[in-house]
Amino acid sequence: MLVDALAREKNVSRDVVFEALESALSFAMKKRFKEDADIRVLIDRNSGKYEGFRRWLVVPDEDGLQEPDRQELLSEAKEIDSGIDVGGYIEEPLDPVEFGRISAQTAKQAILQKIRDAEKEQILNDFLDKNDKILSGLIKRIDKGDAIIDIGKIEARLPRSEMIPKENLRMGDRVRALFLRVEHNARGKQVILSRTSPDFIKYLFENEVPEIEQGLLEIKAAARDPGIRAKIAIVAYDKRIDPIGTCVGMRGLRVTAVRNELGGEQIDIVLWSEDPAQFVVSSLSPANVISILVDEDSHSMDVVVDDENLSKAIGAKGQNVRLASDLTGWKINIITSEESINRHQMERRSLHEDFIKKLEADELIVNKLIDEGFTGIEEIAYIPIQELLDIDGFDEDIVNDLRSKARNSLLTDAIVKEENIEVENELLDISGISKEIVLKLADRKIFTKNDLAELDAVELSEISGLSEDEAASIIVSARAHWFE
């Protein structure tokens, strides 16, 4: 009856109260033993009677006893219970404990603490079930630069790192912030908030623009330099709606409301596009783009602008191009028309020399290959033969000769790489390095442990295709000889 009454009063389940009682009883029984005994207590949920047991975990014989007071070897456990297996428990019943004043007080404190923790957990779970993204509350106190915010029955923490720079928050101020995560610490679970997350601006617009909540518009991406500038990419699913105008609102009321919440942060609203190149062009607004070159292998784009638009494209301290890169997920290189022409000429010259050397062809043929868009020996060696025959002036004899020389060149390169591996085989001594990875490293002129040790985990991961954790382990092994 007391358990039922306490469970109702604290809004927790009966099992939580019973588990608290069992924990308190096991703690009291454990005091009988000088050693570190493992005690289990079981309370009958109907009668209230309880039983106590000391138990030993069964472990394999070959592992030995790591904790002799709490473990038993399998062979010895089999003598007590023939059906026992590793992971099971051997148990010995204990006499009921007699509670003195101190033991009762200790048990009471343990029970109340357990119930308080369960009560907090239940309140937190109720809060999480609401799935609120934007929270509002009063600042209760400032703790080491972090703001502790009262948002109803729970307290949330807004870390200094998640506040907008130059934002001066004080006790009693009402603030809005994004629910970021639940963090575990010594005092239990705590809700962490953020005012700098790109998602914060997305949910603020969702609150201000009903069309987003209705599904007529969607913010596909957002990037921020908190307190200074932000970019959002919007798409309309109803052709009758002007997505940018809808987000700006009548006389700019909607976007102004969001800006005021973000401390005057300048917001660029751009159109999202499925075409990555078009999306990058839009994201660089207000700069005008002349041309764009997409490199899918390195996931980067070279964007050409004229001298007049160069400063706009880059932005103050590179802010505009950095935000555009964050928004689109592409690495963006801003270059001028003159730089683009020079780069193109250098690439053409390098390709021309490579084709002349490896194909042993005359300049007229090489120039035609480059003009047709061929950028490597591999393309000539393995592209469908008809595509080469379609080039003006190319017949079967020329095409077969080119393909033969291209394949011979690739074979020669492969043999050279194999020989390099045989000579510089110290990389193969490192755990996790395969012959395939050594070939990839050789392409980047990385042949020795010292070469490899100078990379970081991210670089090795990109080269080898390994995870960053696997790459980090290899880098540590490669650097080991530095410390010997």
Side-chain angles (χ1 to χ4, degrees):
M1 289 169 62
L2 287 170
V3 167
D4 287 341
L6 192 55
R8 284 195 298 272
E9 179 186 338
K10 298 296 184 180
N11 191 30
V12 296
S13 70
R14 295 171 76 245
D15 281 340
V16 167
V17 183
F18 275 119
E19 286 168 9
L21 283 166
E22 289 170 345
S23 176
L25 287 168
S26 66
F27 180 76
M29 286 186 170
K30 188 173 180 178
K31 287 195 169 184
R32 294 178 180 178
F33 302 90
K34 292 181 180 179
E35 65 269 24
D36 182 23
D38 183 9
I39 307 298
R40 180 177 75 93
V41 171
L42 179 64
I43 300 177
D44 187 298
R45 289 343 189 215
N46 296 316
S47 67
K49 292 181 179 179
Y50 71 92
E51 295 177 288
F53 304 89
R54 180 176 180 179
R55 62 182 187 172
W56 293 264
L57 175 65
V58 179
V59 297
D61 289 5
E62 56 269 21
D63 290 355
L65 296 177
Q66 306 298 320
E67 299 177 76
D69 296 333
R70 305 166 69 95
Q71 295 177 343
E72 188 71 80
L73 296 176
L74 178 60
S75 58
E76 295 178 5
K78 289 275 188 186
E79 295 176 6
I80 301 170
D81 181 357
S82 59
I84 198 74
D85 206 347
V86 171
Y89 286 92
I90 294 292
E91 293 191 328
E92 177 185 280
L94 298 175
D95 294 331
V97 68
E98 291 294 332
F99 276 100
R101 182 179 61 83
I102 295 175
S103 297
Q105 186 66 23
T106 303
K108 174 186 174 183
Q109 290 171 354
I111 292 166
L112 290 177
Q113 184 59 48
K114 186 104 175 178
I115 291 171
R116 277 196 294 269
D117 291 344
E119 192 176 15
K120 287 180 182 178
E121 183 84 15
Q122 186 61 48
I123 292 171
L124 181 61
N125 289 337
D126 291 343
F127 162 76
L128 294 175
D129 287 342
K130 294 178 183 177
N131 201 30
D132 292 331
K133 297 299 182 184
I134 299 290
L135 305 173
S136 178
L138 292 174
I139 296 179
K140 196 172 181 179
R141 65 182 185 278
I142 303 296
D143 179 22
K144 298 177 182 177
D146 299 350
I148 307 302
I149 301 173
D150 187 350
I151 50 174
K153 292 184 178 180
I154 66 172
E155 288 183 351
R157 180 178 289 269
L158 177 62
R160 177 72 255 180
S161 59
E162 298 295 336
M163 295 181 192
I164 295 172
K166 300 180 181 178
E167 190 172 45
N168 186 23
L169 298 179
R170 294 170 293 182
M171 285 179 57
D173 288 353
R174 176 167 289 279
V175 294
R176 296 169 76 191
L178 174 79
F179 168 73
L180 195 60
R181 63 181 181 273
V182 174
E183 201 170 76
H184 297 261
N185 55 38
R187 304 179 72 177
K189 296 180 181 178
Q190 187 166 43
V191 173
I192 304 297
L193 306 179
S194 172
R195 285 175 55 80
T196 62
S197 168
D199 287 335
F200 186 41
I201 196 171
K202 291 169 70 174
Y203 288 113
L204 286 175
F205 267 104
E206 192 173 301
N207 287 345
E208 294 293 335
V209 183
E211 289 83 354
I212 295 176
E213 192 175 0
Q214 294 165 9
L216 302 175
L217 296 177
E218 183 185 355
I219 296 178
K220 300 289 285 188
R224 294 179 63 193
D225 196 347
I228 304 173
R229 191 172 181 182
K231 287 179 182 284
I232 64 168
I234 190 89
V235 63
Y237 296 118
D238 188 330
K239 294 183 179 179
R240 296 171 297 179
I241 294 178
D242 169 20
I244 295 178
T246 304
C247 288
V248 170
M250 187 74 70
R251 296 179 182 175
L253 287 177
R254 290 175 173 176
V255 73
T256 300
V258 175
R259 284 188 62 195
N260 291 342
E261 181 62 48
L262 300 176
E265 198 168 300
Q266 182 67 39
I267 302 171
D268 297 337
I269 304 173
V270 303
L271 293 176
W272 179 82
S273 173
E274 289 184 356
D275 178 7
Q278 182 58 51
F279 186 21
V280 166
V281 170
S282 298
S283 70
L284 286 169
S285 175
N288 294 320
V289 174
I290 296 175
S291 64
I292 193 164
L293 179 63
V294 180
D295 185 348
E296 293 188 354
D297 291 337
S298 64
H299 204 67
S300 64
M301 297 192 192
D302 290 342
V303 178
V304 182
V305 297
D306 57 28
D307 292 338
E308 184 181 333
N309 281 273
L310 183 62
S311 58
K312 290 181 185 177
I314 296 173
K317 298 180 181 178
Q319 185 187 67
N320 191 56
V321 68
R322 185 176 67 252
L323 287 176
S325 184
D326 290 344
L327 187 73
T328 60
W330 286 77
K331 182 180 178 181
I332 301 173
N333 305 312
I334 304 294
I335 57 177
T336 63
S337 302
E338 185 179 350
E339 288 174 331
S340 175
I341 292 169
N342 291 339
R343 183 179 295 185
H344 179 71
Q345 288 175 346
M346 288 178 63
E347 289 173 354
R348 185 181 178 96
R349 194 179 304 121
S350 174
L351 194 58
H352 185 275
E353 291 172 359
D354 195 44
F355 280 2
I356 289 284
K357 178 182 176 182
K358 294 180 177 178
L359 298 177
E360 299 174 4
D362 61 44
E363 292 204 6
L364 180 62
I365 290 175
V366 168
N367 286 333
K368 282 190 176 182
L369 288 171
I370 295 173
D371 290 340
E372 289 293 328
F374 288 92
T375 58
I377 297 294
E378 294 88 348
E379 294 177 19
I380 298 168
Y382 297 111
I383 202 169
I385 194 168
Q386 189 57 47
E387 292 193 30
L388 287 168
L389 289 171
D390 288 341
I391 298 175
D392 185 34
F394 280 27
D395 56 24
E396 285 192 16
D397 290 339
I398 292 174
V399 169
N400 288 332
D401 183 54
L402 288 172
R403 286 167 69 85
S404 175
K405 288 176 178 176
R407 289 176 177 177
N408 287 338
S409 174
L410 292 173
L411 181 60
T412 302
D413 288 345
I415 292 170
V416 170
K417 286 179 182 178
E418 290 287 346
E419 289 175 349
N420 280 336
I421 290 174
E422 295 302 323
V423 174
E424 303 289 354
N425 60 2
E426 65 179 45
L427 291 181
L428 292 172
D429 295 337
I430 299 174
S431 176
I433 292 283
S434 65
K435 209 165 186 180
E436 181 186 357
I437 292 174
V438 174
L439 279 172
K440 292 178 179 178
L441 291 170
D443 280 338
R444 304 292 184 95
K445 309 299 182 188
I446 299 164
F447 301 109
T448 67
K449 284 184 180 179
N450 277 331
D451 295 338
L452 181 59
E454 290 174 359
L455 298 179
D456 60 34
V458 175
E459 290 173 321
L460 179 56
S461 176
E462 290 175 354
I463 294 170
S464 64
L466 298 171
S467 70
E468 285 191 24
D469 287 342
E470 292 171 325
S473 177
I474 290 172
I475 295 294
V476 169
S477 298
R479 293 174 180 172
H481 69 283
W482 288 356
F483 308 102
E484 291 174 356

